[in-house]
Amino acid sequence: MSRFYINGAAGYNQEDVLESIRAIRPQIKSLHLRVDGLRCAQSKLALELIGNCIRRNTSIIEVCISDYNILDPRTGVNQDPVSVIEPEEWEAFFDAVSQSRSIKQIVFTSCFLWGHILKLFGIPNLECVEFHDCLITRQTASAIRRVSCLQTVTAVRADYWDGTDEEDFIASLNHNHKLEFLGLLEFNIREGEARALGDILSDPQSIVKKLHLVRCTTDAPLLLLQNSLVNNSSLREVVLGLSQVTEGGWQVVSDILSSRVTALKVLSLRWSEIDDESAGALANGIAHNATLEELNLSSLKLITPAGWMSIFSSMGSSNLPLKRIYLDLNDTISDEALSLFGEVLTAKNDTIEEFSLYGCRKITAVGWADLIAACLTPMPNLKELHMGNPNFRDGALEKLSSALHNKPCLKKIHLR
């Protein structure tokens, strides 16, 4: 997406900025406003005029605002007492932008979300909101509740004030029956937060299709959400990047995969702490699943070769319609385990579209040769392959070249 930046650099000419916004070409879809750069006298701009230009320009579908943190609501202290922009000017700017009918997405970075900036939640066709390192207040939660067509919410770290917390933030998304994507990164999900999330997922009218829980420090959300996840038929994509996960937590993942009502198509466990016992639970879920099309098991440092063999055996014998498999940066995949993965490729040769296996340092030249032999099967739908490590030598390249002649859809090869 092409972007246009307003950062208030010294020497900015107001008329040039206004004319640039008026003349934004159709391919410019995103406007970035860095508040930090608008605080010097040399760059004083008429924010209301800029806001009205944004409102009238129907090419702009995304607005990104960073560093709107001038007045700290927790202390009442003005973080920037020499700012040349008055609060009334910000109010006029947000008022104008909130009337845009083309904007569908807002990205807040390092913003205090209270007061005038919350007018942006009144944008008529707002579908997507992202929060990065923001201060969430009770006013924020109330503003989110009023957005009727919100489809995507991503929150990456946050501080809370004014009697609100993670639980209140998640609860503010409930009863929004258009929400399709919910991503929570570095969130402290305890019992209350899990209960609020469970209310969203178990709502019969919920259409949440994608759930990302990344860098949540324990598996508490999985254990507390077990019933909501196992009995959910709308989820299509689950991304978990969890540490300190018990065997019980991975058993929940297995139960999701083997659920009779699951429609899950994408599962990513990248960077998660999975050992051999957990791998056994995961393998059992894979063996009983018939919906998964994409599986990301990259960067799993605790599984031994025996654990990988268990997982690959389940993949090969299951009814999975696998299209994409990612196994990058796994130093414990041995030649013996890789041989079983080759059998997976042979068994799934009609559906495989992409597989990635780079940075796995334990694989020898012999292991690569065996894998490439598996690639001799037709694989009519293969579009991309990524592989390689220091042991991927000339002999492997020669064999690979002979394996590619029957891959009519292959568009990308990445050897590292």
Side-chain angles (χ1 to χ4, degrees):
M1 184 187 295
S2 298
R3 298 174 173 88
F4 180 87
Y5 291 86
I6 302 176
N7 57 23
Y12 244 14
N13 182 286
Q14 177 172 294
E15 284 305 316
D16 288 346
V17 172
L18 295 175
E19 185 56 37
S20 296
I21 297 173
R22 292 188 192 105
I24 282 179
R25 300 179 300 279
Q27 63 265 36
I28 303 294
K29 304 294 185 183
S30 179
L31 187 141
H32 290 235
L33 176 68
R34 187 179 171 211
V35 175
D36 230 17
L38 299 177
R39 297 177 180 171
C40 56
Q42 302 100 307
S43 63
K44 182 174 172 61
L45 302 174
L47 287 181
E48 184 175 5
L49 293 177
I50 292 175
N52 279 313
C53 284
I54 295 171
R55 173 177 62 85
R56 296 189 187 101
N57 191 307
T58 56
S59 295
I60 299 171
I61 62 173
E62 178 188 70
V63 171
C64 303
I65 298 180
S66 62
D67 303 311
Y68 184 80
N69 51 16
I70 300 169
L71 184 65
D72 190 335
R74 297 166 294 190
T75 61
V77 174
N78 189 341
Q79 305 280 79
D80 186 19
V82 297
S83 174
V84 297
I85 301 177
E86 299 297 330
E88 294 78 12
E89 294 180 79
W90 283 116
E91 182 178 14
F93 171 78
F94 292 131
D95 232 353
V97 175
S98 69
Q99 297 174 52
S100 166
R101 294 194 167 273
S102 64
I103 294 173
K104 297 182 182 299
Q105 176 166 328
I106 306 175
V107 179
F108 299 105
T109 302
S110 300
C111 291
F112 292 160
L113 297 179
W114 74 299
H116 301 318
I117 195 170
L118 297 181
K119 288 178 178 287
L120 296 180
F121 287 92
I123 292 175
N125 298 311
L126 185 62
E127 295 177 357
C128 176
V129 180
E130 293 185 20
F131 306 92
H132 299 263
D133 296 295
C134 290
L135 178 68
I136 306 292
T137 69
R138 186 179 298 174
Q139 291 181 20
T140 317
S142 297
I144 292 173
R145 287 187 175 94
R146 293 194 295 269
V147 182
S148 59
C149 52
L150 198 58
Q151 297 177 14
T152 299
V153 174
T154 303
V156 183
R157 295 178 299 274
D159 289 326
Y160 296 87
W161 181 76
D162 192 27
T164 194
D165 56 16
E166 288 98 336
E167 179 181 354
D168 192 39
F169 175 78
I170 295 172
S172 70
L173 303 174
N174 202 359
H175 308 304
N176 182 340
H177 297 138
K178 294 187 178 180
L179 189 67
E180 296 185 4
F181 176 96
L182 177 57
L184 303 175
L185 289 77
E186 297 189 24
F187 253 59
N188 187 10
I189 300 183
R190 298 153 297 194
E191 183 175 353
E193 289 76 15
R195 185 170 55 247
L197 188 53
D199 288 343
I200 294 173
L201 296 175
S202 58
D203 188 328
Q205 298 183 64
S206 170
I207 59 169
V208 175
K209 293 180 173 64
K210 298 182 181 182
L211 176 65
H212 293 197
L213 300 176
V214 180
R215 296 179 188 167
C216 300
T217 54
T218 71
D219 58 6
L222 290 179
L223 298 171
L224 294 166
L225 289 169
Q226 183 168 12
N227 289 335
S228 300
L229 290 169
V230 170
N231 296 312
N232 186 290
S233 60
S234 68
L235 279 174
R236 299 294 186 271
E237 176 177 307
V238 172
V239 175
L240 303 172
L242 305 175
S243 58
Q244 302 176 31
V245 181
T246 66
E247 187 179 353
W250 293 122
Q251 184 58 52
V252 174
V253 176
S254 177
D255 292 345
I256 295 169
L257 289 171
S258 55
S259 169
R260 289 178 299 174
V261 301
T262 188
L264 196 65
K265 294 185 180 297
V266 178
L267 177 64
S268 174
L269 303 177
R270 190 169 184 261
W271 295 112
S272 290
E273 292 186 358
I274 303 177
D275 58 17
D276 281 1
E277 281 189 72
S278 305
L282 180 61
N284 184 61
I286 289 172
H288 292 89
N289 183 274
T291 64
L292 208 60
E293 296 180 356
E294 178 177 317
L295 183 60
N296 191 331
L297 299 177
S298 299
S299 302
L300 305 183
K301 305 299 184 184
L302 303 182
I303 302 180
T304 70
W308 285 115
M309 292 176 71
S310 174
I311 290 174
F312 293 152
S313 294
S314 294
M315 280 188 196
S317 61
S318 72
N319 294 319
L320 290 177
L322 277 173
K323 295 181 179 179
R324 295 170 295 278
I325 308 173
Y326 304 100
L327 299 167
D328 308 316
L329 302 173
N330 286 309
D331 292 340
T332 56
I333 296 180
S334 63
D335 287 353
E336 189 177 6
L338 191 66
S339 178
L340 284 176
F341 180 66
E343 294 179 15
V344 173
L345 295 180
T346 301
K348 309 296 180 186
N349 76 87
D350 286 338
T351 60
I352 288 292
E353 295 180 0
E354 178 182 355
F355 68 88
S356 187
L357 194 75
Y358 73 86
C360 301
R361 291 179 292 184
K362 197 177 183 70
I363 301 173
T364 69
V366 173
W368 286 119
D370 288 344
L371 180 67
I372 292 169
C375 292
L376 291 170
T377 54
M379 296 187 192
N381 297 305
L382 184 66
K383 298 175 182 176
E384 290 190 30
L385 66 86
H386 307 252
M387 61 172 68
N389 73 359
N391 297 319
F392 195 91
R393 305 181 191 278
D394 292 346
L397 284 172
E398 292 174 8
K399 292 181 179 180
L400 180 61
S401 64
S402 64
L404 299 180
H405 72 280
N406 57 356
K407 308 291 187 293
C409 292
L410 189 61
K411 296 180 178 179
K412 184 175 182 180
I413 305 172
H414 196 172
L415 304 178
R416 306 191 185 196

